[in-house]
Amino acid sequence: MKQQSIITADDHPLLLKGLNDFLLEKEYNIIGSAHNGNDAFSLIEKEHPEIAILDIQMPYMSGLEIAKKCKENNITTKIVLITLHKEKELYMKAQELNIFGYVLKEFALEEIETCLHNVADGEPYFSPKIREQLGNIFVSDSNLNSLTPSEKKILKLIADDKTNKEIASLLFISHRTVEKHRSNIINKLNLEPKTNSLLIWAKENHDKLL
């Protein structure tokens, strides 16, 4: 993992130095750094690093805008955002752009190594504090892939506002079997067993189920 090429970007020199010093001490392969969004994107275009750790708010171009440009240009660099922001909309946007990591600044040095290990293995990483705050609306692809075809079919029907009774009728199974499937899906996705938690998740992640 530590040989993967990484670039970093932050418009606060001290924060950037602190992050770089920490990663270099841990023997990560930092191949470049930038102090604004334009320079960060130029570095990504030129060096094609495997991972880019970016501050979400920078002059000229934000971390999200860089991620969008990478996606549009088919650049495969995995983006990790470091941020102070906890708004749900930003996290949803991050997921749409296939951002691989979202780390809160207050926990950055504690979490960045775990994040980089996950990202290197192709697993997205979102700060646990984010998951707590947003009621666990995030799920990794491996969790989703652990669902059986029947469970995925049921999840799509839940997203379409079908009741247990309607799902049972459509799939020619018993009402009790639908309830058992729902319970299994909640466990596999690590959702809290609250009323409507599965419906909310299914609607917010409908695109992943297509």
Side-chain angles (χ1 to χ4, degrees):
M1 161 60 217
K2 295 190 177 178
Q3 294 315 305
Q4 286 213 317
S5 53
I6 298 171
I7 70 124
T8 57
D10 195 311
D11 59 329
H12 295 90
L14 279 176
L15 291 176
L16 185 63
K17 184 179 186 304
L19 177 63
N20 284 347
D21 286 351
F22 178 81
L23 292 174
L24 288 169
E25 187 183 314
K26 301 283 183 180
E27 298 179 5
Y28 283 94
N29 181 24
I30 307 288
I31 60 169
S33 289
H35 293 93
N36 64 61
N38 279 351
D39 289 350
F41 184 67
S42 295
L43 255 181
I44 291 170
E45 278 191 308
K46 182 184 171 194
E47 303 289 346
H48 286 276
E50 283 151 295
I51 299 171
I53 305 171
L54 311 173
D55 186 12
I56 198 167
Q57 279 192 315
M58 292 184 286
Y60 309 122
M61 211 186 299
S62 72
L64 283 171
E65 287 168 335
I66 292 170
K68 190 176 180 201
K69 285 194 79 166
C70 286
K71 191 175 180 182
E72 288 167 354
N73 290 281
N74 295 315
I75 295 171
T76 58
T77 298
K78 292 171 181 170
I79 305 291
V80 172
L81 295 178
I82 295 186
T83 178
L84 292 166
H85 297 280
K86 299 176 184 176
E87 290 86 357
K88 176 180 171 181
E89 290 71 27
L90 284 173
Y91 302 126
M92 300 306 289
K93 190 73 182 164
Q95 282 216 312
E96 280 172 31
L97 294 171
N98 298 330
I99 283 165
F100 261 80
Y102 209 123
V103 178
L104 292 173
K105 273 194 177 174
E106 57 203 288
F107 304 108
L109 293 187
E110 293 169 39
E111 295 181 2
I112 196 67
E113 271 201 286
T114 307
C115 176
L116 290 174
H117 280 297
N118 276 37
V119 171
D121 290 337
E123 278 287 324
Y125 178 90
F126 287 77
S127 279
K129 288 288 177 191
I130 295 169
R131 290 176 180 275
E132 278 174 34
Q133 184 166 323
L134 301 180
N136 229 338
I137 60 169
F138 297 107
V139 66
S140 72
D141 288 339
S142 64
N143 284 4
L144 197 54
N145 291 336
S146 73
L147 298 180
T148 66
S150 295
E151 288 166 348
K152 286 182 181 176
K153 202 176 285 184
I154 286 170
L155 207 43
K156 285 177 192 172
L157 291 169
I158 290 169
D160 292 334
D161 292 313
K162 301 296 182 193
T163 65
N164 281 6
K165 191 175 176 182
E166 288 170 328
I167 293 170
S169 175
L170 286 164
L171 300 181
F172 306 103
I173 56 179
S174 71
H175 184 276
R176 189 165 182 174
T177 302
V178 176
E179 286 184 344
K180 191 171 188 307
H181 278 308
R182 285 181 75 115
S183 175
N184 288 341
I185 294 166
I186 285 169
N187 288 334
K188 287 182 180 180
L189 297 181
N190 296 320
L191 299 176
E192 291 183 37
K194 291 178 180 173
T195 309
N196 290 336
S197 66
L198 192 54
L199 174 63
I200 292 165
W201 187 92
K203 283 188 170 296
E204 288 182 331
N205 293 275
H206 191 264
D207 291 348
K208 287 190 173 186
L209 303 172
L210 300 175

